[in-house]
Amino acid sequence: MQVKTIIAALLFAASASVHAAGDAKRGENLFMADGCYQCHGTVGQGSRGTGPRLAPNTIPYEAFAAQVRKPS
């Protein structure tokens, strides 16, 4: 169940730049509560050895989907 929540939060974050609607604070709370920050950093900066950067310059959706489907 937690994996589904994480994937849903990441998909929401990836689409946030396309869709202006949404609750950013709730997304941030999910990001921190589910432990996404452990790989992606507390502000989505990512790291070479952990997870890809999510913000401020998000990766293209195709790359994001490939990473979610087949993590390196």
Side-chain angles (χ1 to χ4, degrees):
M1 180 74 174
Q2 185 178 9
V3 173
K4 289 181 182 179
T5 303
I6 292 170
I7 291 172
L10 290 174
L11 288 172
F12 176 78
S15 67
S17 62
V18 177
H19 304 288
D23 185 347
K25 189 63 179 171
R26 183 168 183 262
E28 178 184 8
N29 290 341
L30 282 172
F31 187 83
M32 299 303 281
D34 288 342
C36 301
Y37 70 91
Q38 294 173 347
C39 294
H40 298 286
T42 56
V43 292
Q45 75 274 15
S47 173
R48 183 175 217 148
T50 58
R53 179 187 331 187
L54 301 175
N57 300 320
T58 59
I59 60 176
Y61 176 77
E62 293 78 17
F64 169 77
Q67 179 67 24
V68 169
R69 291 180 181 132
K70 294 184 181 177
S72 55

